[in-house]
Amino acid sequence: MKQVLFSNEEFNEALERLNKLMRDAEEISNVDHKVLLYNVLQYFDSIHREPLSRIMSALGHHPDLKRNIVQDETVQKLCALYDLELESAPTENSGTIGFIPVGDVGMMTPRKQKDWLELGNYEELENLKLYPKNYEKVNFIISRVGSDVFAVQNQCDGSVLPIDKGTLEDHVLICPWHGCKYDLKTGKEMNGSDKRLETFPVEIEDTGLLKVEIAY
Ligand code: FES
């Protein structure tokens, strides 16, 4: 495809620089800054992923355009960045563009390690407030409900959207995007669907020290 803004080489250089910046970001020692950065990236990801997914889906109705687009190196790399997998050999007649469901992508990277994190005294947490956290690329939320504390993944099931701007009614977490309700005790969606949030083990020591076990 014709170069529009910069060449393939320049695109690859930009990708390499981005990779380097992401590696540098991994080294940020201030946890609050790191969580803020991951949240910003997660929202950027979400607002790009949805229209990109729609564009790629709509291409199914325009085979000529699709053929051109899926052969372009920069498009292929962008799709790879967003975990969108193009079928490798688009053909004249069939050539549909297929995606790996985002949920499956997550499962492709088996978690191997577990760590107990110490997150301060649980009494310092405001009741019914959602606190986004990040550890080893795992985005999760902790929230206190009375004398209990829960930890769940910070991503609505079946979506890439973070859920930490949702609301809590007792131990029910309401997703800010389309209103799914999850039981923090089990992670299960309240209406009996298959949706669920991953839950993480929580312990509160006699001193009030809050510990959460994160698998990554
Ligand atoms: S993204 Fe949570 S209900 Fe749709």
Side-chain angles (χ1 to χ4, degrees):
M1 218 189 301
K2 197 171 159 213
Q3 173 182 333
V4 179
L5 294 175
F6 42 80
S7 67
N8 287 358
E9 290 70 30
E10 289 166 321
F11 181 84
N12 287 333
E13 276 171 28
L15 266 185
E16 273 173 33
R17 294 185 74 172
L18 176 62
N19 276 335
K20 164 86 171 56
L21 288 170
M22 291 304 295
R23 284 197 298 274
D24 290 347
E26 289 291 325
E27 304 304 320
I28 294 175
S29 54
N30 183 301
V31 175
D32 289 340
H33 292 172
K34 203 166 179 177
V35 168
L36 178 67
L37 176 66
Y38 275 113
N39 279 339
V40 169
L41 288 174
Q42 203 171 10
Y43 276 95
F44 267 120
D45 180 289
S46 300
I47 62 172
H48 290 125
R49 186 183 295 272
E50 179 59 31
L52 178 62
S53 299
R54 293 185 194 191
I55 290 167
M56 300 311 282
S57 176
L59 281 176
H61 303 296
H62 304 278
D64 290 340
L65 184 58
K66 177 181 66 185
R67 194 176 310 109
N68 270 335
I69 286 180
V70 299
Q71 285 168 356
D72 184 89
E73 183 181 331
T74 61
V75 173
Q76 288 173 5
K77 286 193 172 158
L78 181 67
C79 288
L81 277 177
Y82 281 88
D83 310 319
L84 304 175
E85 190 162 88
L86 301 171
E87 286 188 355
S88 55
T91 63
E92 185 80 24
N93 299 320
S94 59
T96 53
I97 294 170
F99 296 98
I100 298 175
V102 171
D104 291 351
V105 171
M107 288 189 290
M108 284 177 187
T109 312
R111 293 177 180 173
K112 297 186 182 118
Q113 274 180 264
K114 290 180 178 179
D115 283 342
W116 279 99
L117 310 185
E118 295 186 355
L119 296 172
N121 193 306
Y122 87 100
E123 290 177 345
E124 290 169 10
L125 300 177
E126 219 173 284
N127 202 38
L128 300 181
K129 184 170 171 183
L130 298 165
Y131 294 85
K133 302 281 177 188
N134 173 275
Y135 180 72
E136 295 289 348
K137 298 184 185 172
V138 178
N139 289 312
F140 62 103
I141 303 170
I142 56 171
S143 48
R144 176 184 172 191
V145 183
S147 58
D148 293 322
V149 175
F150 301 97
V152 296
Q153 74 181 55
N154 187 9
Q155 183 180 328
C156 195
D157 192 7
S159 161
V160 294
L161 296 169
I163 202 167
D164 58 271
K165 295 290 183 283
T167 49
L168 263 183
E169 289 178 4
D170 196 30
H171 56 87
V172 177
L173 170 57
I174 304 168
C175 177
W177 304 100
H178 312 104
C180 268
K181 296 181 177 181
Y182 294 97
D183 185 340
L184 285 183
K185 293 178 181 173
T186 61
K188 290 182 182 170
E189 205 263 329
M190 301 290 288
N191 290 336
S193 73
D194 289 339
K195 295 176 79 155
R196 64 186 307 151
L197 302 179
E198 181 176 4
T199 58
F200 301 98
V202 171
E203 275 185 17
I204 299 176
E205 295 193 346
D206 293 343
T207 57
L209 177 66
L210 170 65
K211 294 166 80 176
V212 176
E213 188 184 47
I214 298 295
Y216 58 95

